[in-house]
Amino acid sequence: AVVSTQSTGLWNRLGATLANSDRSSESVHAYRRALSLSPGYIRARYNLGIACLNLRAYREGIEHFLTCLRQQESEAVWQTLRLALSLDQHYDKLIHIDTRALQPLLNAFNIV
C-alpha cells in the first residue's frame, strides 16, 4: 500500500504515536509537517503545543495554544493554556484565562 506524504491526518497521527511513545522531540517534526500542509489544522497545532510542554518549551506551547484559540474557542485549550502559563510562571496572565479574555493574551505574546 502506498501512503501519501501529503496527508495532514497521517502526519498528525504519526506525531501522536511518537509522543505517546515518549518521543516528543520526534513528534514535533510530524506535527510541523502536518501544519505545513494545512496551517489551520487545529488538532495538530494543539498536539504540537502539548509536545512543546513535554519538552519544556513553554513559551512555544503557549503560542500554539493561543493560535488554536484564535481559530476556535475550546474549553480544553483554555485549560491547557492555564497549565502552560503556570509552568512558564506567567501567573499575572491567569486572570485572562478566568475571564476568557483572549485579546490581552494575544497581545502579550505578540500573536497577530
Side-chain angles (χ1 to χ4, degrees):
V2 175
V3 177
S4 171
T5 60
Q6 302 303 308
S7 172
T8 56
L10 287 177
W11 281 109
N12 183 58
R13 273 177 261 162
L14 174 61
T17 300
L18 291 167
N20 290 334
S21 301
D22 291 325
R23 295 165 64 184
S24 291
S25 60
E26 293 173 69
S27 73
V28 168
H29 170 73
Y31 294 135
R32 287 188 195 279
R33 180 72 173 128
L35 290 169
S36 74
L37 295 169
S38 181
Y41 189 20
I42 293 174
R43 190 70 202 176
R45 183 154 318 271
Y46 178 80
N47 289 343
L48 179 54
I50 295 292
C52 289
L53 294 188
N54 290 336
L55 295 169
R56 292 183 166 77
Y58 303 131
R59 170 88 187 207
E60 186 178 348
I62 289 167
E63 292 169 358
H64 289 298
F65 300 134
L66 288 171
T67 300
C68 287
L69 288 169
R70 189 179 60 178
Q71 291 176 263
Q72 179 180 324
E73 294 276 328
S74 162
E75 185 60 28
V77 178
W78 278 110
Q79 292 306 315
T80 308
L81 178 58
R82 172 188 294 284
L83 172 65
L85 288 169
S86 296
L87 289 169
D88 207 30
Q89 301 181 353
H90 289 285
Y91 305 116
D92 60 317
K93 308 281 189 302
L94 295 178
I95 186 67
H96 301 305
I97 300 290
D98 297 335
T99 60
R100 297 299 187 258
L102 182 57
Q103 195 59 53
L105 290 167
L106 293 171
N107 293 344
F109 290 93
N110 300 310
I111 306 291
V112 290

